Amino acid sequence: MKKWLENTRISHKLRFGFLSITFLGVLIGIVGVIGMMLLLNNEKTTYNNTTLGLQYASDAESAFVRVRNKTKDLYIRYSQYGSKDLDSYQAEIEKQLMIVDESLSSYTGTISDEQDQANFDKLDSLFKEYKSDVDTILAAVNAGNTATSVLASMNNMTDMANKTDAAFDTLSAHITAVSEQQMSNDQIMAWALMGIVAGVVVLALVAAILL
């Protein structure tokens, strides 16, 4: 091929050289554009399925913790003063329960895979049972039941609360793992694209030397 190039007229060499460089430049551009589109699409998917998911899960878990704490405060107040001035406690508990419901509802739009769905379904089921227990306690307080009976209900609710808390941790851990895997895949893709571009540049240099 080198001998053929040496015997080719300068005008043909120049034409061939310009065409080769143009082709390689277009190839680099195409690879770059496709790579950018893939990375942007992956970034959007990561945001929708993991970043938003983590935010919704965090909001739900924070509200859940506030419900637990406020329910304990409600019992302490009730055991000391009866049903007097409990409206603010109940209103706050109901508000935080609503936040959990809304956050979990929003989370359903970010579920990334079958494991994520299974984790969510378990959490959702446990939280509904926990919420039912809370409603039972609120009803007992409103009915004026003894503090001892309310405490018994609180103790019965503890196991469900702990299971729900653990389900939140499992959900968040899986989302974090998925996010880290997607970031790793994006890095691999970026390095692969850089390798392709570098290969094309090397071809361009070889063509320039031969010409």
Side-chain angles (χ1 to χ4, degrees):
M1 182 176 180
K2 186 175 181 180
K3 185 175 181 180
W4 174 79
L5 288 172
E6 290 175 350
N7 295 331
T8 305
R9 289 190 306 175
I10 293 178
S11 60
H12 290 170
K13 289 181 180 180
L14 291 174
R15 186 180 300 112
F16 178 76
F18 283 128
L19 289 175
S20 298
I21 298 301
T22 300
F23 171 75
L24 293 174
V26 170
L27 184 59
I28 292 175
I30 292 174
V31 170
V33 170
I34 292 176
M36 287 295 295
M37 290 176 64
L38 290 174
L39 289 174
L40 287 173
N41 183 66
N42 288 347
E43 183 179 348
K44 181 179 179 181
T45 300
T46 300
Y47 177 76
N48 289 337
N49 291 349
T50 58
T51 305
L52 281 179
L54 280 171
Q55 182 62 56
Y56 293 139
S58 177
D59 290 345
E61 186 171 11
S62 296
F64 168 73
V65 171
R66 288 192 289 270
V67 171
R68 294 190 69 176
N69 292 335
K70 207 64 179 180
T71 303
K72 293 176 183 177
D73 293 341
L74 172 71
Y75 167 72
I76 293 172
R77 177 76 183 185
Y78 184 70
S79 64
Q80 294 176 346
Y81 304 103
S83 57
K84 182 181 179 181
D85 299 328
L86 294 179
D87 290 347
S88 62
Y89 291 88
Q90 296 192 45
E92 183 63 20
I93 290 172
E94 291 171 356
K95 175 185 175 183
Q96 297 305 323
L97 286 173
M98 184 178 297
I99 291 175
V100 177
D101 280 330
E102 292 175 350
S103 298
L104 291 180
S105 177
S106 297
Y107 184 87
T108 58
T110 69
I111 292 175
S112 58
D113 55 34
E114 292 182 0
Q115 184 60 56
D116 195 16
Q117 181 69 62
N119 292 340
F120 173 80
D121 289 341
K122 182 177 180 179
L123 169 61
D124 189 50
S125 177
L126 290 170
F127 174 70
K128 286 178 179 176
E129 291 187 49
Y130 172 78
K131 183 179 178 181
S132 177
D133 290 341
V134 173
D135 290 338
T136 298
I137 291 173
L138 294 180
V141 168
N142 290 330
N145 293 359
T146 65
T148 302
S149 65
V150 174
L151 178 59
S153 297
M154 291 279 293
N155 291 334
N156 291 335
M157 184 178 67
T158 300
D159 182 57
M160 184 57 61
N162 291 337
K163 288 180 179 179
T164 305
D165 190 43
F168 269 114
D169 292 341
T170 300
L171 187 75
S172 297
H174 179 72
I175 307 170
T176 301
V178 170
S179 177
E180 291 174 349
Q181 183 59 52
Q182 289 180 344
M183 290 177 63
S184 176
N185 292 341
D186 287 345
Q187 290 178 345
I188 293 173
M189 181 181 295
W191 280 108
L193 290 171
M194 290 176 62
I196 293 173
V197 171
V200 174
V201 170
V202 170
L203 287 177
L205 290 175
V206 171
I209 292 172
L210 291 176
L211 295 174

